[in-house]
Amino acid sequence: MVHHIMHRFANPARFLKIARPATAWLLGLGLVLSAIGIVGALVVIPPDYLQGETARILHIHVPAAWLGMGGWTGIAVASAAQIIWRHPLAGVAARAIAPAGAVFAAICLASGSIWGRPTWGTWWEWDGRLTSMLVLFFLYCGYMALAAAEKERGPEGRAAPIFGLVGAINLPIIHYSVIWWNTLHQGESITLTRSSIAPALLWPLPFTLLGFSALFGAVVLLRMRAELAATKVEARLRRAAAE
């Protein structure tokens, strides 16, 4: 069933027919929701009774962390589809996801340092969660370099998708690092079923999470469309040169 659904969108023309309007909708939705969440976080909600104004960065830091990890999950899924089913758009999707995921991983690290400075008294600590997130950022950089080099040699390379699958090992390490090691990073304050944060302070978070996710999706679709367009132009130039 999944294999059948995936191959329905294997045709670039069919994919582009959906991707073009979806990009605009995701971009508009992402901008609106992100603006509501950021204004709510910076202006509307009161300061935290313990961390004061610093806690406002939660509404940027948490979505960035989730999307940094979610981006690599997407790369791993696309890499599996590329290796197992040779899906023609899988490699394109993985290459499009990587820069967006790297940006959100970097935002997570930067916002975490800003949050940690007044809380821990230092900009950086070789803490389990911070270190594993830094490793994720370096994995993104390595994947982008490997995928770009492999793409120059042809579309059938296996090194990048294998790297995408192996790199996924770091995701559970990031998630469980606060449990496995004695860490400065606080434990899980928010899960799918509960939260230890007061609702009056938390309501902007769904807006930034959904807004950033929509922006992530819009960027990925835009990059996929750009790569497919560039491939089409290259194919035309090769045909023209052969005539």
Side-chain angles (χ1 to χ4, degrees):
M1 179 67 178
V2 175
H3 182 258
H4 175 69
I5 293 172
M6 288 176 60
H7 274 272
R8 282 186 59 194
F9 300 101
N11 185 297
R14 186 180 292 123
F15 167 77
L16 289 172
K17 186 177 180 181
I18 297 172
R20 289 190 186 101
T23 304
W25 278 102
L26 286 172
L27 181 60
L29 183 65
L31 290 173
V32 171
L33 292 177
S34 298
I36 293 172
I38 290 172
V39 170
L42 297 181
V43 178
V44 179
I45 64 172
D48 182 72
Y49 77 102
L50 283 178
Q51 299 185 31
E53 304 289 351
T54 309
R56 298 181 187 276
I57 207 167
L58 157 82
H59 302 281
I60 304 296
H61 179 71
V62 170
W66 286 354
L67 288 170
M69 297 173 65
W72 198 275
T73 302
I75 289 176
V77 171
S79 297
Q82 187 177 358
I83 292 173
I84 298 171
W85 295 298
R86 298 184 180 274
H87 195 288
L89 293 181
V92 178
R95 288 190 294 273
I97 290 169
V103 167
F104 277 106
I107 292 172
C108 172
L109 290 167
S111 58
S113 294
I114 295 170
W115 195 353
R117 179 66 180 87
T119 305
W120 302 339
T122 179
W123 292 102
W124 181 263
E125 183 70 28
W126 291 103
D127 168 270
R129 174 64 62 85
L130 273 67
T131 303
S132 54
M133 198 70 194
L134 181 63
V135 169
L136 178 63
F137 175 74
F138 288 143
L139 286 171
Y140 273 119
C141 294
Y143 179 86
M144 287 187 287
L146 181 61
E150 194 169 67
K151 185 173 179 287
E152 293 295 321
R153 297 194 295 268
E156 300 299 324
R158 291 296 186 95
I162 290 173
F163 187 87
L165 287 173
V166 173
I169 295 171
N170 191 46
L171 297 180
I173 295 175
I174 296 173
H175 181 73
Y176 291 107
S177 58
V178 293
I179 300 173
W180 291 343
W181 298 298
N182 184 19
T183 174
L184 281 175
H185 196 286
Q186 68 189 59
E188 300 289 340
S189 301
I190 305 165
T191 67
L192 293 176
T193 58
R194 64 173 183 84
S195 169
S196 60
I197 301 173
L201 300 177
L202 194 62
W203 68 263
L205 182 59
F207 286 97
T208 54
L209 178 60
L210 292 174
F212 289 4
S213 298
L215 292 175
F216 187 104
V219 169
V220 170
L221 289 178
L222 193 60
R223 289 185 59 84
M224 290 181 69
R225 289 168 56 193
E227 181 169 334
L228 290 173
T231 302
K232 188 175 181 180
V233 170
E234 290 173 4
R236 286 177 178 174
L237 290 174
R238 283 195 297 269
R239 286 197 300 268
E243 291 175 355

